[in-house]
């Protein structure tokens, strides 16, 4: 709690994460003690106020309201939560802080002291508080701001790197588009069976077998740092490929049917989701040179599957790194 400045606000999910409880627990506390929490800084933003807050903070949410907890409100929640070890620790912190500030018994006769002595005591207490505030600023708030600045710098570097990847892929795609007819004539003169398609091009993948297409997909995987790349199975039209990402996560990829005139349906995507569970994979990629239906996209989004259609496969083969592999 000492790392959270007074002027900073957090959301309901952040409060739940801090106290290691479900969001429903925090909402129940707010429902039972809303008046008390509002008196200590709890606010719910709606309408133009919420829109203005989104512009200033950069938060992207489609909700019609947003609850904000100030540092004082978070302390208030800690006093009300029962089944949270973090809340108990915060209460102990508050008691220790109070004991540190008032480290001697209260003298009930203080009101009988002379006015000049009372003024001197008040000045001494103000000096101790100023010293404590200075200590907290130097040891907690300043390091926290430095960490935030450094983190923002790292995020900016990541965005610049992603933008450079996109520009590089666009340049390579433009180079391919400048000579499409010559490339097609060269492919027509060369037999497809056993041939190696050009990196970044899917024009010849429609005639590949499942194993040949999986080998084609394995190339950008290896380029992006994946290891232990293996083709588990492969028929005439599809194959399953397993690997391990550069950071050690398990990966499974479906190199799907490349029939160009129909889209990948939700049934095929659900079957691949079961394959992902069977392999206990952290990363799942469904690669196809045909489009995905809206229902298939919905299933993929719910199950954490990256759907790679023809256009995305072109960009990936040309050098862009899939977001799932970053």
């Amino acid at each position: 709690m000492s790392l959270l400045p007074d002027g900073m606000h957090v959301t309901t999910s952040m409060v739940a994460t801090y106290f290691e409880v479900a969001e429903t627990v925090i909402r129940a506390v707010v429902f039972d003690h809303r008046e008390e929490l509002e008196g200590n800084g709890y606010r719910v933003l709606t309408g133009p106020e919420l829109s203005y807050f989104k512009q200033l903070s950069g938060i992207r949410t489609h909700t019609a309201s947003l609850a904000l907890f100030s540092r004082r409100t978070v302390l208030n929640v800690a006093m009300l939560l029962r089944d949270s070890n973090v809340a108990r620790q915060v209460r102990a912190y508050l008691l220790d802080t109070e004991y540190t500030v008032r480290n001697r018994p209260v003298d009930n006769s203080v009101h009988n002291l002379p006015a000049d002595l009372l003024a001197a005591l008040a000045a001494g207490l103000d000096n101790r508080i100023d010293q404590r505030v200075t200590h907290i600023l130097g040891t907690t708030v300043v390091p926290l701001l430095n960490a935030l600045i450094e983190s923002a710098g790292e995020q900016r570097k990541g965005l610049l790197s992603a933008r450079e990847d996109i520009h590089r892929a666009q340049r390579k795609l433009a180079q391919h588009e400048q000579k499409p007819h010559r490339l097609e004539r060269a492919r027509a003169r060369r037999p497809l069976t056993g041939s190696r398609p050009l990196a970044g091009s899917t024009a010849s993948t429609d005639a590949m077998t499942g194993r040949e297409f999986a080998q084609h997909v394995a190339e950008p995987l290896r380029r992006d740092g994946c290891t232990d790349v293996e083709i588990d199975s492969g028929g005439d039209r599809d194959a399953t490929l397993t690997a391990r990402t550069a950071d050690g996560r398990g990966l499974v990829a479906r190199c799907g049917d490349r029939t160009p005139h129909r889209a990948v349906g939700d049934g095929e995507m659900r079957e691949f989701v079961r394959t992902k569970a069977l392999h206990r994979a952290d990363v799942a990629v469904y690669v196809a040179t045909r489009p995905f239906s809206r229902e298939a996209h919905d299933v993929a989004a719910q199950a954490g599957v990256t759907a790679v259609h023809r256009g995305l496969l072109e960009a990936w083969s040309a050098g862009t790194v899939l977001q799932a592999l970053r």
Side-chain angles (χ1 to χ4, degrees):
M1 291 303 303
S2 62
L3 293 176
L4 187 61
D6 288 334
M8 187 176 292
H9 290 71
V10 293
T11 63
T12 304
S13 62
M14 296 168 69
V15 175
T17 300
Y18 176 71
F19 287 114
E20 299 178 351
V21 297
E23 288 188 44
T24 54
V25 175
I26 302 300
R27 294 194 182 99
V29 171
V30 173
F31 182 82
D32 293 337
H33 306 277
R34 187 180 185 106
E35 183 177 355
E36 177 182 347
L37 293 172
E38 287 179 343
N40 285 315
Y42 174 81
R43 294 193 61 191
V44 177
L45 304 183
T46 58
E49 190 177 28
L50 176 59
S51 301
Y52 184 63
F53 178 79
K54 289 179 182 178
Q55 294 176 3
L56 292 180
S57 64
I59 291 179
R60 297 183 180 274
T61 176
H62 298 292
T63 58
S65 62
L66 180 66
L68 294 180
F69 294 74
S70 66
R71 180 178 187 273
R72 184 180 180 88
T73 316
V74 176
L75 289 171
N76 198 163
V77 172
M79 299 175 190
L80 299 171
L81 277 177
R82 295 183 304 172
D83 300 327
S84 169
N85 291 329
V86 177
R88 284 191 284 269
Q89 294 172 10
V90 171
R91 290 194 290 270
Y93 160 78
L94 294 174
L95 292 173
D96 292 342
T97 302
E98 197 276 342
Y99 178 78
T100 301
V101 175
R102 298 179 60 179
N103 57 0
R104 62 183 63 185
V106 177
D107 186 358
N108 292 325
S109 62
V110 68
H111 59 279
N112 296 322
L113 294 177
D116 55 347
L117 182 55
L118 286 174
L121 289 173
L125 180 59
D126 289 341
N127 184 50
R128 288 178 58 189
I129 294 176
D130 290 342
Q131 292 177 354
R132 181 169 179 79
V133 171
T134 302
H135 174 73
I136 292 176
L137 288 174
T139 58
T140 60
V141 177
V142 173
L144 175 63
L145 291 176
N146 290 337
L148 290 173
I149 292 172
E150 182 178 355
S151 175
E154 292 298 324
Q155 293 176 359
R156 184 174 183 273
K157 291 179 182 177
L159 291 174
L160 292 176
S161 176
R163 185 179 66 180
E164 183 59 31
D165 287 342
I166 294 173
H167 288 169
R168 183 164 53 251
Q170 288 174 334
R171 290 193 295 269
K172 291 187 177 181
L173 288 173
Q175 293 172 1
H176 285 294
E177 292 173 356
Q178 290 173 359
K179 304 176 182 179
H181 299 296
R182 190 170 67 182
L183 290 175
E184 290 302 324
R185 288 196 298 270
R187 294 191 189 99
R189 290 193 298 268
R190 185 172 64 246
L192 291 175
T193 303
S195 63
R196 182 184 182 86
L198 292 175
S201 174
T202 60
S204 63
T205 56
D206 295 336
M208 290 182 180
T209 66
R211 180 168 289 275
E212 288 173 341
F213 187 47
Q215 291 171 346
H216 178 78
V217 173
E219 293 184 8
L221 283 174
R222 293 190 180 96
R223 180 202 65 205
D224 295 338
C226 291
T227 58
D228 301 331
V229 180
E230 296 182 0
I231 300 173
D232 281 0
S233 61
D236 292 337
R237 303 305 299 171
D238 57 20
T240 301
L241 186 150
T242 60
R244 191 158 294 280
T245 64
D247 56 1
R249 292 172 294 161
L251 176 145
V252 61
R254 169 63 53 83
C255 305
D257 185 358
R258 292 163 305 291
T259 306
H261 60 272
R262 69 183 187 90
V264 177
D266 59 328
E268 296 164 286
M269 185 61 71
R270 292 183 192 280
E271 179 184 354
F272 179 57
V273 171
R274 290 192 290 270
T275 301
K276 174 191 175 186
L278 180 64
H279 286 270
R280 298 181 180 178
D282 303 304
V283 181
V285 182
Y286 196 122
V287 186
T289 59
R290 53 193 175 109
F292 293 83
S293 68
R294 184 179 64 181
E295 294 79 7
H297 272 296
D298 292 340
V299 174
Q302 293 173 2
V305 175
T306 299
V308 180
H309 52 72
R310 180 183 292 266
L312 184 54
L313 178 58
E314 285 276 5
W316 185 24
S317 300
T320 301
V321 181
L322 288 182
Q323 185 65 34
L325 300 179
R326 293 182 181 273

